[in-house]
Amino acid sequence: MSPTLMPTLAATPILVGLNDAALTLLATESAVRHFGPDAVIVREGDSGHSFFIIAEGDVEVVKHQGGPHAVLLAELHAGTFFGEMCVIDPVPRAATVRTASRVTVIEINSATLYHLFQQMPDQYAIMILNVARDI
């Protein structure tokens, strides 16, 4: 576990209010991934079982990526997150997320969230309430 993961996780809106034990579980079971510019992190229509916290860099959320009617939905920066709906409701990805710079993300998958639910249901409930507030 990287020492920088805990402060990054604790400052992420979807995880605000979780205690140190819950954040440690998430940090221990998460994966840190690095991408160069113009890389696709998730693709619209693909199945997904992870959400991502942007630790460094910038990404673009695009609908209909590569098509004649591509639409830029959002630009996200360090400290924000995306993909949380796929771990709450297993539906295909609603948009493509591509990097606009070098990017480091923390990937948290649905199995990790299930472990959080099993071990600390009160902490899991806090996270779910944060997701609901974000939506």
Side-chain angles (χ1 to χ4, degrees):
M1 172 175 54
S2 166
T4 60
L5 279 185
M6 291 294 283
T8 301
L9 293 174
T12 302
I14 197 172
L15 304 177
V16 166
L18 295 186
N19 65 27
D20 285 345
L23 292 172
T24 299
L25 183 148
L26 296 176
T28 302
E29 294 190 22
S30 65
V32 176
R33 299 181 58 200
H34 305 279
F35 296 90
D38 299 317
V40 172
I41 299 175
V42 299
R43 190 171 308 282
E44 181 178 357
D46 285 355
S47 63
H49 304 286
S50 299
F51 77 93
F52 301 84
I53 298 167
I54 304 169
E56 296 176 358
D58 305 301
V59 302
E60 298 173 333
V61 181
V62 181
K63 191 79 172 161
H64 310 298
Q65 161 80 23
H69 304 290
V71 176
L72 178 64
L73 300 176
E75 295 177 355
L76 304 176
H77 312 285
T80 58
F81 57 92
F82 61 91
E84 71 281 1
M85 288 311 302
C86 283
V87 295
I88 303 301
D89 187 17
V91 296
R93 300 278 183 191
T96 295
V97 177
R98 65 183 183 207
T99 60
S101 65
R102 289 190 166 282
V103 171
T104 300
V105 295
I106 302 166
E107 181 178 8
I108 300 175
N109 65 39
S110 56
T112 297
L113 295 181
Y114 183 67
H115 295 155
L116 180 64
F117 170 72
Q118 287 179 309
Q119 296 174 31
M120 297 172 238
D122 59 325
Q123 297 299 295
Y124 178 81
I126 290 169
M127 193 206 76
I128 295 302
L129 285 172
N130 289 340
V131 170
R133 283 187 198 108
D134 186 66
I135 294 171

